[in-house]
Each structure stands twice: as C-alpha cells, then as structure tokens.
Amino acid sequence: QVQLVESGGGLVQPGGTLRLSCAASGSILSIHAMGWYRQAPGKERELVAGISSGGSTNYADSVKGRFTITRDNAKNTVFLQMNTLKPEDTAVYFCYGDIGTPSISMRYWGQGTQVTVSS
C-alpha cells in the first residue's frame, strides 16, 4: 500500500510564495515520477510540474520561471516552490506519484491541498 500526504497550501497575497510538499510512504520499490496537478473551479485538471526518476522536470507554460519542483529521494518527498503567485494560481493542488517496481508503476494521488491567492 502506498500513501501520498501533501501539505503547505494556504491563503497568500498576489506576489507571495508558498511551498508544497508531498511525501510518499508504504510499499515503495521504485518511484518513476512525482509531481502536481491542479484544478481550479470551472477548469480542467492540468499538470503543473513533474519530475522523473532521472531528475528531468517539466512545467506548465503558465508557471515556468515562477515554480520549481525538487525532490528528496531519501525521504520519498517532492516539493513545489511557488513564487510570485497570481490569482489564477488559485486551485486545489493534487500530488501524484507513479510508484511500483522498476518495471511497472501505478498512479497514486494525494488528498489535495487548497492554494488561494487573493488580496
């Protein structure tokens, strides 16, 4: 069994910063990738940032230059540093992990954390 627990959301003013964390625990032999999606009211869920087992990263165009995804492999944890936040960043952020064996993985999801950017 694998669980993802995320934290760090909250209310912040435009231009502010937040750091999200997501820790995986349980039966983990291999992590293929981890990252975050987000879903705002009335919008489809979108990939915000991801990091692969090899360390390569990808970001949504809307967050490039403002958000940074990093990882702590020893703790099976990923972080999302969010700088210069904008109201349009307001959403529920869901951590994901592609976790399993070296050959196959399953997609696991965190519980979601609310990020609200408002003055």
Side-chain angles (χ1 to χ4, degrees):
Q1 184 179 359
V2 173
Q3 292 183 337
L4 300 179
V5 179
E6 57 184 290
S7 61
L11 174 64
V12 66
Q13 296 184 66
T17 67
L18 287 172
R19 190 174 79 148
L20 306 183
S21 64
C22 177
S25 63
S27 182
I28 300 173
L29 278 69
S30 179
I31 298 178
H32 290 219
M34 294 186 73
W36 277 268
Y37 283 74
R38 68 185 181 187
Q39 189 161 27
K43 294 184 176 292
E44 295 184 352
R45 182 174 295 188
E46 66 171 343
L47 179 65
V48 178
I51 185 166
S52 73
S53 61
S56 62
T57 59
N58 60 287
Y59 299 91
D61 288 341
S62 60
V63 308
K64 287 180 179 177
R66 299 188 298 119
F67 291 11
T68 304
I69 186 169
T70 57
R71 66 183 181 183
D72 184 339
N73 290 337
K75 296 182 178 180
N76 294 324
T77 301
V78 294
F79 305 92
L80 185 66
Q81 179 68 42
M82 304 187 293
N83 298 330
T84 318
L85 283 161
K86 303 175 180 180
E88 50 263 45
D89 295 317
T90 296
V92 178
Y93 285 69
F94 295 93
C95 175
Y96 74 88
D98 296 333
I99 298 168
T101 70
S103 58
I104 60 171
S105 68
M106 293 184 63
R107 173 63 58 89
Y108 295 89
W109 293 96
Q111 79 279 10
T113 185
Q114 177 71 48
V115 171
T116 302
V117 185
S118 177
S119 59

